[in-house]
Amino acid sequence: MIKRSEVKEWMAHEPAFDDIMCSLRSAPRIPRTMISETRKVVAMARKFNNEVVRPYTLELDRTIQQDPEFLPWEFVKQANQRGFYSLVIPKIVGGKGYNFPAMSHFLEEVGTECLAMSNLIGVHYLGATTLLATWNMKLINEIIRQTAEGEKTNDPSLITLAITEPAAGTDVEEVSLLDKANITFNARREQGGYVLNGTKVFISNGHLSKWHVVIGYEDQSRPSETMLVVVVKTGTKGFSFGRKERKMGQKGCPASELIFKECFVPDEHVVFDSRHSAKLKRPPRETGRQIIEYVVSVSRAAVGAWGVGAARGALENAMQFAMETHVDGKLLINHEWVQCRLAEMYKTMALARLAYMENNYANGLDGAFKILQLKPLYYLMKILPASMIDKFITPTLGLPFTTWLFRKLQMDWQKDEQIHRTTGWGSLAKVSGTDAGIRNCQMALEIMGQAGLRHDRRVEKILRDSKLLQIYEGTNQLNRLNIFESFLASHHSRIKVYEHE
């Protein structure tokens, strides 16, 4: 008989147990309504695929090939009219209030048909999540609420995250690399605000967005200790758009260059800086890391979901080809070697999906979704009509006390092991999903042969689109390092991780 005390002692030396049990620990805590909600969100995505995405997928890809400056405004407006840009935004800031993890399933579903169009919707939530990660409730309410208003007026109000620099790509997402990166973007403090100078590149949806959440640095020699977050509106003096990248894949979603020349940002649009960091228990470097980890723990689940969407799209197209092609007098799908390939593709897709779902469970337990999924608050937001929320709750978001309280709960009270768990699962989801997308495209081409290289067969487009997934939101190599540091080095004192030289 194993004693309870012995189990506790064993668990104390093997904390990795919790890392693989997020779904099990989440089961009794998750509001049951989330299940029906997620089904409804997936149904919306499937309807949107049938009516808009699938008929437009190849046409949009060809249009961008012929005219690289084309912007898919009509698609954005259709997504906006259907309320997809506020779908999982909490009702407290004007959104529809569907549970945030449902967005991963939505993005997978749309991604089965077109990753570019799925990105045109999903990357908006990257900007929104970055705002959320600062817990500046006043600005969260001000900026994100405009998205919901834009859906009512048919004037899309999208949000981007501007973090990547011309000579510092993946480095800016990893604090241990940041101080050695070639940082050229600068935020100079002046009376009443900051002056921004520099360039941000590869900013998805840049040309289509109204608001840009910009990551800057007060001291370029110490960026990890002087990070700040500001919001800049399109049309602001000193801010302009540069070129659009000419990409191999995901052509329909623009990757923009944002240029800042003596661009003044007033204090009312400063989301987070050293003054806010000084009020928190962690040193500035660790606080900046915590904000970034909050963001990537969510965004990498989305990229993992896109990878699963690509893997599923490749499988479905290979299945269709096998069901209509004869080889040696019988349908290709009746050949056992093809059945084994298709089964392998299904396995690859299904296991990758489990990774991004576990990532979402981790975020619900220890990360960005924690407050939103507390049953009392969750059900209160479902029961209360939007008019009552706007009248009695929303006005409190502008109070300094509200921001202080949320930062205390979500930042000061978040433990280091919780950060490791959420960011570790984010990297696992990202690597698993994106590798699955590439692998299934390769197997689909093995089944389809030369036919798979034709544009109208879609698989070659899925392959081109998938490759980008392995690069953005941190390259898969960096994410593998993060998996090691989060799940292996952090749990075993005998392993010493040194700073990258």
Side-chain angles (χ1 to χ4, degrees):
M1 176 70 72
I2 298 177
K3 296 178 181 179
R4 186 180 182 88
S5 60
E6 291 175 327
V7 173
K8 288 184 176 180
E9 182 181 359
W10 180 81
M11 287 299 297
H13 295 288
E14 291 292 340
F17 178 82
D18 279 346
D19 298 333
I20 60 172
M21 302 303 286
C22 296
S23 52
L24 184 61
R25 291 192 297 125
S26 293
R29 306 184 192 187
I30 292 178
R32 284 191 60 82
T33 311
M34 284 178 60
I35 300 172
S36 57
E37 262 188 20
T38 302
R39 285 175 176 158
K40 187 174 181 180
V41 167
V42 171
M44 291 180 196
R46 288 177 178 169
K47 186 173 188 292
F48 189 55
N49 273 352
N50 292 335
E51 296 176 357
V52 177
V53 180
R54 185 170 180 82
Y56 189 42
T57 296
L58 299 182
E59 179 184 342
L60 177 60
D61 195 57
R62 286 192 296 264
T63 299
I64 301 293
Q65 183 69 30
Q66 295 165 4
D67 179 11
E69 300 306 312
F70 177 83
L71 291 171
W73 277 112
E74 285 306 312
F75 175 84
V76 170
K77 288 179 180 178
Q78 290 192 60
N80 189 63
Q81 289 169 359
R82 296 182 187 227
F84 291 157
Y85 292 113
S86 71
L87 194 64
V88 298
I89 297 298
K91 288 171 68 176
I92 197 172
V93 290
K96 293 178 175 56
Y98 288 94
N99 70 85
F100 219 108
M103 180 50 61
S104 297
H105 298 280
F106 179 95
L107 296 176
E108 176 195 331
E109 200 66 36
V110 178
T112 61
E113 298 294 346
C114 183
L115 290 177
M117 285 189 265
S118 189
N119 201 11
L120 283 167
I121 298 170
V123 79
H124 159 76
Y125 289 97
L126 176 60
T129 300
T130 307
L131 278 176
L132 179 65
T134 68
W135 306 102
N136 186 323
M137 302 310 294
K138 183 178 184 295
L139 276 171
I140 289 170
N141 182 53
E142 177 187 333
I143 304 301
I144 295 182
R145 186 170 287 273
Q146 291 185 31
T147 295
E149 294 299 320
E151 290 176 343
K152 296 174 184 176
T153 60
N154 198 26
D155 180 22
S157 184
L158 277 57
I159 307 169
T160 67
L161 168 61
I163 184 171
T164 306
E165 300 196 21
T170 290
D171 294 347
V172 298
E173 294 185 18
E174 188 65 34
V175 169
S176 61
L177 299 175
L178 185 56
D179 286 340
K180 299 177 180 66
N182 186 12
I183 299 295
T184 57
F185 194 90
N186 177 254
R188 186 177 75 248
R189 180 70 187 167
E190 290 194 357
Q191 185 175 1
Y194 287 91
V195 176
L196 306 183
N197 281 287
T199 302
K200 297 291 185 178
V201 294
F202 301 115
I203 309 305
S204 297
N205 273 7
H207 281 75
L208 298 167
S209 295
K210 186 169 290 186
W211 285 98
H212 310 274
V213 183
V214 182
I215 307 294
Y217 313 94
E218 294 183 63
D219 186 343
Q220 291 165 277
S221 66
R222 299 182 300 118
S224 69
E225 298 177 22
T226 62
M227 188 185 85
L228 78 155
V229 185
V230 300
V231 287
V232 177
K233 191 175 184 179
T234 295
T236 299
K237 183 179 179 181
F239 167 68
S240 62
F241 294 114
R243 70 182 186 279
K244 284 174 58 209
E245 299 294 340
R246 300 194 178 190
K247 302 181 294 180
M248 176 180 74
Q250 296 186 38
K251 294 178 181 292
C253 181
S256 307
E257 179 184 47
L258 310 186
I259 301 171
F260 301 84
K261 292 183 178 179
E262 292 295 300
C263 177
F264 181 73
V265 179
D267 279 336
E268 53 262 35
H269 284 163
V270 176
V271 186
F272 193 91
D273 67 2
S274 57
R275 295 168 297 175
H276 303 116
S277 180
K279 299 176 183 178
L280 299 170
K281 71 175 186 180
R282 287 183 171 88
R285 186 176 192 270
E286 292 305 308
T287 298
R289 173 177 177 266
Q290 187 181 22
I291 291 173
I292 295 299
E293 300 294 11
Y294 258 125
V295 176
V296 297
S297 296
V298 175
S299 63
R300 286 171 180 167
V303 179
W306 279 325
V308 174
R312 193 171 130 205
L315 170 61
E316 291 175 356
N317 280 282
M319 280 276 291
Q320 184 64 38
F321 179 83
M323 289 190 293
E324 61 189 26
T325 303
H326 287 82
V327 173
D328 294 334
K330 63 180 180 180
L331 284 173
L332 192 59
I333 200 167
N334 291 328
H335 290 258
E336 289 186 352
W337 74 268
V338 175
Q339 294 172 359
C340 287
R341 282 283 200 285
L342 294 172
E344 179 68 17
M345 292 171 73
Y346 185 87
K347 181 209 76 175
T348 301
M349 173 201 72
L351 293 178
R353 181 186 288 125
L354 291 177
Y356 84 65
M357 291 178 67
E358 196 75 7
N359 184 186
N360 283 333
Y361 287 127
N363 284 322
L365 287 169
D366 302 316
F369 310 153
K370 186 173 184 178
I371 288 181
L372 298 174
Q373 291 180 199
L374 290 175
K375 286 184 179 179
L377 181 60
Y378 175 88
Y379 284 118
L380 179 64
M381 290 297 103
K382 296 301 172 188
I383 294 170
L384 287 178
S387 58
M388 289 189 66
I389 293 173
D390 290 344
K391 185 175 182 180
F392 296 106
I393 300 178
T394 302
T396 67
L397 300 180
L399 301 175
F401 171 78
T402 306
T403 292
W404 173 87
L405 179 61
F406 273 89
R407 284 178 174 168
K408 180 65 65 176
L409 293 172
Q410 289 292 106
M411 299 184 79
D412 279 351
W413 288 11
Q414 189 187 34
K415 299 176 181 178
D416 289 345
E417 57 264 31
Q418 293 175 318
I419 297 175
H420 287 310
R421 186 174 301 124
T422 53
T423 186
W425 270 110
S427 290
L428 268 172
K430 199 267 184 182
V431 171
S432 300
T434 57
D435 286 354
I438 291 292
R439 179 64 182 132
N440 272 17
C441 285
Q442 291 171 337
M443 286 191 282
L445 291 175
E446 289 173 4
I447 293 172
M448 299 171 72
Q450 291 182 348
L453 302 178
R454 288 169 43 184
H455 190 251
D456 62 346
R457 286 292 185 177
R458 298 175 181 262
V459 173
E460 66 86 25
K461 177 188 178 299
I462 299 173
L463 178 59
R464 287 189 285 110
D465 289 353
S466 295
K467 189 58 189 175
L468 271 71
L469 299 178
Q470 293 183 314
I471 299 169
Y472 60 51
E473 288 307 290
T475 63
N476 280 11
Q477 291 90 335
L478 178 135
N479 276 279
R480 285 183 169 87
L481 288 174
N482 190 48
I483 292 168
F484 174 80
E485 294 183 10
S486 297
F487 288 146
L488 299 173
S490 65
H491 290 325
H492 296 281
S493 58
R494 65 180 180 273
I495 298 177
K496 175 70 175 175
V497 179
Y498 294 93
E499 290 292 315
H500 297 278
E501 294 183 0

